[in-house]
């Protein structure tokens, strides 16, 4: 999907553009979390630009969401409708990736930001389970009204000519429902907490400790100064268990109280009760005689370096499920780059694949194109870490540049980074490539992190191997189809002609759309458009047979469009391929300024008259080709005066999930009528641009434009 440029105000200057919209919809619906996604021009990935009520770390897996992903906001944008999920069970059933990364009980709604023509992005809202299982009519209207209000703001900003500007990370808004207290109240509250004989502390939504009272510090055995600004499970070894971190995530996302029990060495059992709010989490700490609920009761003796946190495990699982859905090599590269940088901590990433004895840069984030060009196509025999890990099969970790320099004396610091991980991508002993992760601060890479990154590169290697096989098959099918389409159209005296073909959209196999132009006599010709059912090599091969048959029958002098379709239908029935085809034929007569049309279940042609008004030519339809041996295809005559434009197209140009096909055809006719392009090639490009801008396209598109003129 292509959209006009969104200005820098979406993520930088003029940042209040969407802040007020998000604040209003959260306030009026009582949502605890709000996220705003925008779709950059020419991209097929939604970017998270604004968040409220959720930490950056928890939001990280959703920083970039492909528009074709099985994610609520992507479905809302693609289908132009509000998506509501009223339970944890429904989330897990319909959106397994969301259920895996956020396995908590909450309600969620996703709605598209659209003006009816352009999809600018989407808004996601979360509520605690205390919210009813269904959205009220008022809440639905509030959400859709806010989205409608956001779309013209983005349109106006785009029209101002300001360039697109997206930050690397989403902006976080402060709590929207927090209550302000005066200084006297704050002093009184602090005194109250300090005097309590039981422990209490406060965490922000990012899990960092902002306050702990003396009793709490004594219970956990650490001074307040060593804890403030830190996540407790990262600085207290006996809390470094994924179970404990998971309780914080549960409270932060679901906004429901939760608790856990942990053992502080040598044998002090503490109960932690978490009470979440929009501005943070209050924690009550008390000694208890009960057994710890943690599954790893001996975590007291474990160093933080020995375990991976719950967030890291969720990120790894999320990436695994996302890669399982990836189809092409480009899918894998984009998913890896989009997920790893925000979720696993590196500031830059480069993914290299083996190609004819060299390492090619296949994808990157955080690096400049100029730097990537220097390393592209390096031989596998080169003395570089990226090549070395492939030949040895062992990952390399460098905590500092000094470590890297000792291992590779020729190394020169070129990326302004401070630590690196070089990971081999190997499947069944075969090198696939290597993954480079770079960090802006020195990094010790403890054993648990090394193990997690090793798992990470194993997932990517397997996904790349599968994707290469898909790409090879897809290339074969695409070559077959394009080889069967006409490379050039014949010159047709008295007519201007333009044709366009776009292959099936993201993640789809090849299809069976075709077009043709057959000259019958010096003043007559047949224009053909068709679509074979299916998206595979069988459909592409059958398309070649159908196009050849139509071409042969239509080249016969005096053949009517209905007669050509009838002959082709009988041939297709005899072949019995198990597939059907739609087709529309227009017999063009320059001498009499007319056209004869017949259709076999194909979308109606459009006729733009010389004065600009446009008709949808709903001629009497016949059955799809290949169904009934005796099917009849009526022929209809229409005027085709000089200066008019006849548009033939396949359903990929108008078919969009959730939108009535007749409404989409009416919209296309309106764009044809309003187009100011005199050049047919420019007009064809404009119609394709309209289709790609208005919605994602997951089917082939074929388009044929014919305009008669008075000259030869």
């Amino acid at each position: 999907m292509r959209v006009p440029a969104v200005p820098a105000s979406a993520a930088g200057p003029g940042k209040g553009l969407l802040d007020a919209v998000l604040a209003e919809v959260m306030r009026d619906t009582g949502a605890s979390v709000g996220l705003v996604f925008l779709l950059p021009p020419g991209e097929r990935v939604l970017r998270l630009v604004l968040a409220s009520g959720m930490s950056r770390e928890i939001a990280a897996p959703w920083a970039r969401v492909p528009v074709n992903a099985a994610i609520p906001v992507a479905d809302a944008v693609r289908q132009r409708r509000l998506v509501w999920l009223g339970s944890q069970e429904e989330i897990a059933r319909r959106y397994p990736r969301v259920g895996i990364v956020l396995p908590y009980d909450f309600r969620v709604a996703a709605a598209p930001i659209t003006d009816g023509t352009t999809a600018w992005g989407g808004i996601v809202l979360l509520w605690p389970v205390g919210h009813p299982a269904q959205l009220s009519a008022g809440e639905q209207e509030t959400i859709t009204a806010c989205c409608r209000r956001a779309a013209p703001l983005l349109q106006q900003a785009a029209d101002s000519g300001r360039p697109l500007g997206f930050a690397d990370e989403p902006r976080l808004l402060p709590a929207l429902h927090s209550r302000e207290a005066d200084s006297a109240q704050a002093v009184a509250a602090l005194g109250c907490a300090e005097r309590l004989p039981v422990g209490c502390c406060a965490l922000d939504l990012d899990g960092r400790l902002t306050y702990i009272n003396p009793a709490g510090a004594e219970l956990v055995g650490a001074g307040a100064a060593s804890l403030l600004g830190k996540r407790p499970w990262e600085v207290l070894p006996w809390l470094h268990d994924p179970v404990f971190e998971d309780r914080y995530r549960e409270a932060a996302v679901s906004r429901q109280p939760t608790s856990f029990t942990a053992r502080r060495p040598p044998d002090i059992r503490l109960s932690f009760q978490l009470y979440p709010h929009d501005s943070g989490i209050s924690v009550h700490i008390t000694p208890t005689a009960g057994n710890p609920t943690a599954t790893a009761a001996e975590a007291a003796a474990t160093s933080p370096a020995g375990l991976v946190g719950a967030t890291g495990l969720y990120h790894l699982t999320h990436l695994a499920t996302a890669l399982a859905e990836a189809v092409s090599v480009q899918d894998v590269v984009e998913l890896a780059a989009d997920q790893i940088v925000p979720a696993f901590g590196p500031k830059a990433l480069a993914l290299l694949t083996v190609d004819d004895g060299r390492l090619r840069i296949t994808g990157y984030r955080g690096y400049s194109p100029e730097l990537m060009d220097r390393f592209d196509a390096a031989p596998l025999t080169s003395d570089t870490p990226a090549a070395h890990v492939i030949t040895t099969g062992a990952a390399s970790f460098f905590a500092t540049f000094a470590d890297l320099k000792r291992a590779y004396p020729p190394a020169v610091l070129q990326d302004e980074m401070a630590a690196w991980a070089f990971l081999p991508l190997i499947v069944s002993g075969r090198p696939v490539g290597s993954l480079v992760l770079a960090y802006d601060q020195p990094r010790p890479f403890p054993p648990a992190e090394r193990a997690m990154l090793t798992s990470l590169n194993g997932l990517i290697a397997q996904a790349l191997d599968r994707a290469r096989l898909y790409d090879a098959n897809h290339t074969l099918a695409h070559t077959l189809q394009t080889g069967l389409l006409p490379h050039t159209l014949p010159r047709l005296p008295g007519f201007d002609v333009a044709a366009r073909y776009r292959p099936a959209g993201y993640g789809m196999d090849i299809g069976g759309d075709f077009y043709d132009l057959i000259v019958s006599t010096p003043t007559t010709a047949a224009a053909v458009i068709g679509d074979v059912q299916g998206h595979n090599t069988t459909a592409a091969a059958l398309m070649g047979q159908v196009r050849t048959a139509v071409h042969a029958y239509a080249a016969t002098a005096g053949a009517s469009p209905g007669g050509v379709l009838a002959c082709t239908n009988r041939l297709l029935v005899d072949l019995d391929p198990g597939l059907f085809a739609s087709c529309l034929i227009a017999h063009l007569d320059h001498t009499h300024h007319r056209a004869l049309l017949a259709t076999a279940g194909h979308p109606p042609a459009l006729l733009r008259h010389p004065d600009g008004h446009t008709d949808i030519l709903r001629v009497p339809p016949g059955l799809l080709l290949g169904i009934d041996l005796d099917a009849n295809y009526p022929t209809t005559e229409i005027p085709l005066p000089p200066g008019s434009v006849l548009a033939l197209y396949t359903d990929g140009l108008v078919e969009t999930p959730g939108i009535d096909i007749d409404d989409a055809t009416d919209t296309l006719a309106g764009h044809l009528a309003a187009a100011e392009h005199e050049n047919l090639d420019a007009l064809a490009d404009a119609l394709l641009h309209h289709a790609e801008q208005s919605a994602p396209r997951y089917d082939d598109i074929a388009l044929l434009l014919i305009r008669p003129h008075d000259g030869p």
Side-chain angles (χ1 to χ4, degrees):
M1 183 191 304
R2 296 174 61 194
V3 300
V6 180
S9 56
K15 62 184 180 182
L17 182 68
L18 295 174
D19 294 15
V21 173
L22 182 60
E24 180 180 352
V25 71
M26 291 182 67
R27 183 191 66 239
D28 293 349
T29 62
S32 55
V33 174
L35 309 170
V36 176
F37 294 82
L38 292 182
L39 186 61
E43 292 193 17
R44 304 188 64 82
V45 176
L46 292 160
R47 302 269 198 96
L48 177 59
V49 299
L50 193 61
S52 178
M54 180 176 284
S55 75
R56 195 183 307 278
E57 194 169 17
I58 295 178
W62 321 109
R64 293 168 62 94
V65 177
V67 293
N68 73 315
I71 301 295
V73 67
D75 279 356
V77 172
R78 284 199 317 272
Q79 300 169 15
R80 308 294 184 86
R81 66 179 181 87
L82 188 147
V83 175
W84 168 255
L85 301 165
S87 69
Q88 183 181 10
E89 180 182 352
E90 187 177 10
I91 293 171
R93 176 173 52 83
R94 293 177 56 186
Y95 299 99
R97 284 170 58 184
V98 179
I100 286 172
V101 180
L102 299 174
Y104 315 117
D105 209 357
F106 56 89
R107 323 287 195 209
V108 62
I113 299 175
T114 177
D115 54 13
T117 300
T118 300
W120 295 94
I123 289 180
V124 176
L125 301 171
L126 274 64
W127 292 264
V129 290
H131 185 283
Q134 297 295 329
L135 275 179
S136 69
E139 288 170 331
Q140 292 186 46
E141 175 55 31
T142 296
I143 295 170
T144 55
C146 283
C147 289
R148 285 197 303 266
R149 195 152 51 251
L153 292 176
L154 293 168
Q155 180 68 65
Q156 291 166 15
D159 292 343
S160 71
R162 287 174 290 175
L164 173 68
F166 284 96
D168 293 335
E169 296 180 333
R171 285 193 304 105
L172 301 181
L173 294 185
L176 300 177
H177 304 149
S178 58
R179 181 174 66 90
E180 293 186 3
D182 60 31
S183 57
Q185 288 178 314
V187 170
L190 177 63
C192 176
E194 296 279 315
R195 293 188 295 270
L196 287 175
V198 296
C200 65
C201 64
L203 307 177
D204 61 19
L205 289 178
D206 199 36
R208 300 184 187 278
L209 194 138
T210 57
Y211 169 78
I212 187 167
N213 72 346
E218 182 178 354
L219 284 171
V220 301
S226 66
L227 295 174
L228 292 177
K230 309 289 196 313
R231 298 182 180 93
W233 53 87
E234 293 178 351
V235 293
L236 297 173
W238 50 276
L239 275 183
H240 194 81
D241 184 282
V243 173
F244 307 150
E245 183 184 350
D246 185 64
R247 292 295 186 271
Y248 143 73
R249 285 170 52 90
E250 180 182 4
V253 173
S254 70
R255 294 293 201 272
Q256 295 296 301
T258 186
S259 65
F260 64 86
T261 302
R263 181 171 67 86
R264 174 196 154 194
D267 195 26
I268 301 174
R269 289 174 171 81
L270 298 176
S271 173
F272 293 79
Q273 298 176 348
L274 284 67
Y275 299 95
H277 184 265
D278 293 343
S279 59
I281 299 173
S282 298
V283 183
H284 184 235
I285 310 169
T286 55
T288 178
N291 292 323
T293 59
T295 56
E298 299 305 318
T302 304
S303 162
L307 289 172
V308 175
T311 299
L313 294 176
Y314 283 128
H315 288 339
L316 188 63
T317 307
H318 179 265
L319 181 61
T321 56
L323 289 173
E325 299 175 5
V327 177
S328 68
V329 169
Q330 194 58 36
D331 291 345
V332 174
V333 171
E334 291 298 321
L335 277 169
D338 290 345
Q339 295 295 325
I340 292 173
V341 170
F344 293 91
K347 289 299 180 182
L349 166 152
L351 197 154
L352 303 88
T353 54
V354 176
D355 182 15
D356 195 23
R358 293 182 177 274
L359 276 176
R360 306 304 304 243
I361 303 291
T362 310
Y364 58 91
R365 289 285 186 276
Y367 282 129
S368 68
E370 295 76 19
L371 181 61
M372 291 295 94
D373 287 342
R374 292 181 215 163
F375 291 94
D376 192 26
L380 283 176
T381 56
S382 61
D383 187 22
T384 62
H388 188 254
V389 295
I390 293 179
T391 57
T392 63
S396 295
F397 301 91
F398 301 100
T400 65
F401 179 68
D403 293 339
L404 178 62
K405 187 76 172 175
R406 277 193 295 270
Y408 297 90
V412 176
L413 185 60
Q414 301 185 63
D415 59 5
E416 299 181 354
M417 295 294 169
W420 298 264
F422 295 88
L423 309 170
L425 303 177
I426 296 175
V427 178
S428 301
R430 292 181 293 105
V432 177
S434 59
L435 179 66
V436 181
L437 305 179
Y439 303 80
D440 60 353
Q441 297 294 327
R443 196 174 187 90
F445 294 110
E449 184 174 17
R450 295 187 181 209
M452 182 176 66
L453 292 178
T454 300
S455 299
L456 179 75
N457 76 283
L459 293 171
I460 295 172
Q462 294 175 25
L464 274 175
D465 198 45
R466 292 193 307 269
R468 280 182 161 181
L469 178 61
Y470 169 85
D471 281 352
N473 291 334
H474 188 275
T475 299
L476 175 63
H478 187 260
T479 302
L480 171 64
Q481 182 180 32
T482 53
L484 294 171
L485 290 171
H487 297 290
T488 59
L489 294 175
R491 185 176 181 278
L492 190 57
F495 292 93
D496 294 326
V497 180
R500 293 291 184 273
Y501 169 73
R502 292 289 185 273
Y506 192 86
M508 298 289 287
D509 286 324
I510 208 67
D513 289 24
F514 66 94
Y515 61 86
D516 206 349
L517 188 65
I518 305 108
V519 177
S520 303
T521 72
T523 59
T524 63
V528 182
I529 196 88
D531 186 1
V532 174
Q533 174 192 24
H535 292 87
N536 48 42
T537 53
T538 302
L542 183 61
M543 175 272 284
Q545 293 176 297
V546 172
R547 177 178 167 254
T548 300
V550 171
H551 193 105
Y553 294 135
T556 304
S560 70
V564 172
L565 289 176
C567 292
T568 306
N569 175 63
R570 287 193 289 271
L571 175 64
L572 198 57
V573 172
D574 288 341
L575 290 174
D576 191 22
L579 298 175
F580 309 119
S582 70
C583 187
L584 188 151
I585 301 178
H587 179 81
L588 312 172
D589 186 342
H590 185 264
T591 301
H592 300 93
H593 301 304
R594 66 176 185 175
L596 302 176
L597 270 63
T599 179
H602 199 79
L606 305 178
L607 178 63
R608 173 178 166 172
H609 295 270
D611 64 0
H613 84 274
T614 299
D615 293 329
I616 300 174
L617 304 177
R618 302 188 187 279
V619 301
L623 289 174
L624 291 170
L625 301 176
I627 295 179
D628 181 3
L629 184 68
D630 299 319
N632 182 47
Y633 299 94
T635 298
T636 301
E637 179 179 330
I638 64 164
L640 194 62
S644 60
V645 176
L646 181 65
L648 313 181
Y649 56 93
T650 54
D651 56 7
L653 192 66
V654 291
E655 198 168 62
T656 304
I659 296 180
D660 183 80
I661 189 70
D662 289 335
D663 292 341
T665 304
D666 290 341
T667 301
L668 178 65
H671 278 271
L672 179 60
E676 299 177 353
H677 303 283
E678 290 297 324
N679 181 279
L680 273 197
D681 285 310
L683 178 58
D685 290 337
L687 293 179
L688 285 179
H689 176 77
H690 152 69
E692 293 167 349
Q693 173 181 301
S694 59
R697 299 292 162 181
Y698 300 102
D699 199 359
D700 292 31
I701 297 175
L703 174 65
L704 190 58
L705 301 180
I706 303 107
R707 179 168 57 201
H709 55 75
D710 290 322

